[in-house]
Amino acid sequence: MFKMKTKMNELARRSIEMSGAYDGGLAVQTHGLMAGTKVASNLGWRAIEALTVGDSVLTFDNGMQKIVEVRRATFWTDAPDTTPAMWPVIVPVGALGNREEITLLADQGVLIECDAAADMYGDPFAMIAAKALTGVRGIHRAAPAQQIELIAVYFEEEQAIYAEGGAVIHCPANTMALDAYLNTDAAHYGVLAPRDAEFLAECLVAEDQMLATGGWIDGQAAVRC
């Protein structure tokens, strides 16, 4: 099974998750899905805002798991004048196996699969922040057009859930305890540090190029990956 807790020390510690809203300053919530995003549940593909405590969601590793808490926050109240550092990440159809376009927070963990991850960590899957994928498969950042509600769901343990057909989204554990934050062994899914995430994103571009060209790859990408 895919358990990132076995990975090497390069994996970054997870940030403490807090409920909150972005009001033109610091966004203290770093994960969740925008209202309207559909996730795989016991009720079929449902908009995340329609789910509640007790509903079950399909996870990447552990089958159906029950939601134990739902948090809501309002983001981008200053849209469309939001500072570029706070812009969301736009994932086009198919970029991560998704059937519909997805808008994600920049620091939202998403699962990628690539050969370079297998070479580096012995596992082809890696969890990285969405912003590291900027420029990959048309993924880009853009100013939000309007404020939006963000919904974060929590389970008994951290999970990775399916959104919009095939994208796999990280749902951290529902805890703010300092001892849990400092205990890296407690993490099942380690979100890679920015430098490692950016390197894997570059390698993913190179691997896509090789598939598209029957094995050809430009020299710079070949050296790095």
Side-chain angles (χ1 to χ4, degrees):
M1 303 295 287
F2 169 63
K3 298 295 182 185
M4 299 293 274
K5 64 182 178 182
T6 62
K7 294 201 181 300
M8 302 167 61
N9 291 334
E10 287 88 346
L11 299 180
R13 287 185 173 92
R14 292 168 297 144
S15 57
I16 298 176
E17 299 297 337
M18 297 179 285
S19 178
Y22 173 64
D23 61 359
L26 176 66
V28 295
Q29 186 164 326
T30 59
H31 83 282
L33 291 171
M34 310 301 162
T37 305
K38 294 184 288 296
V39 300
S41 76
N42 60 316
L43 304 172
W45 288 99
R46 298 274 288 183
I48 193 166
E49 69 270 22
L51 297 175
T52 188
V53 172
D55 289 338
S56 294
V57 174
L58 182 62
T59 68
F60 185 72
D61 274 317
N62 301 306
M64 288 289 184
Q65 293 290 316
K66 286 187 177 181
I67 297 172
V68 299
E69 184 177 353
V70 178
R71 298 182 190 174
R72 299 171 184 268
T74 301
F75 272 66
W76 304 309
T77 58
D78 59 349
D81 299 320
T82 305
T83 176
M86 301 305 301
W87 285 3
V89 175
I90 313 301
V91 182
V93 174
L96 296 175
N98 47 304
R99 296 172 185 162
E100 300 290 341
E101 181 179 275
I102 304 177
T103 299
L104 298 173
L105 293 179
D107 291 317
Q108 171 63 58
V110 295
L111 191 70
I112 64 168
E113 180 180 6
C114 67
D115 293 338
D119 293 339
M120 293 172 65
Y121 306 114
D123 190 325
F125 298 103
M127 194 73 73
I128 68 176
K131 62 186 177 185
L133 290 169
T134 301
V136 178
R137 299 173 181 170
I139 296 172
H140 62 282
R141 300 183 71 173
Q146 60 188 13
Q147 72 177 40
I148 195 167
E149 184 180 33
L150 180 130
I151 298 93
V153 295
Y154 295 85
F155 307 89
E156 288 292 345
E157 297 181 350
E158 68 173 329
Q159 303 291 344
I161 66 174
Y162 291 93
E164 297 293 3
V168 181
I169 305 298
H170 185 218
C171 294
N174 182 13
T175 178
M176 290 179 60
L178 182 60
D179 56 349
Y181 170 64
L182 295 175
N183 181 12
T184 55
D185 289 338
H188 291 175
Y189 304 96
V191 179
L192 289 180
R195 186 173 181 178
D196 294 335
E198 291 168 5
F199 175 74
L200 285 187
E202 291 178 10
C203 290
L204 195 58
V205 170
E207 291 173 18
D208 287 349
Q209 183 181 7
M210 291 179 69
L211 288 174
T213 61
W216 180 87
I217 183 172
D218 67 66
Q220 184 176 3
V223 169
R224 290 190 56 79
C225 299

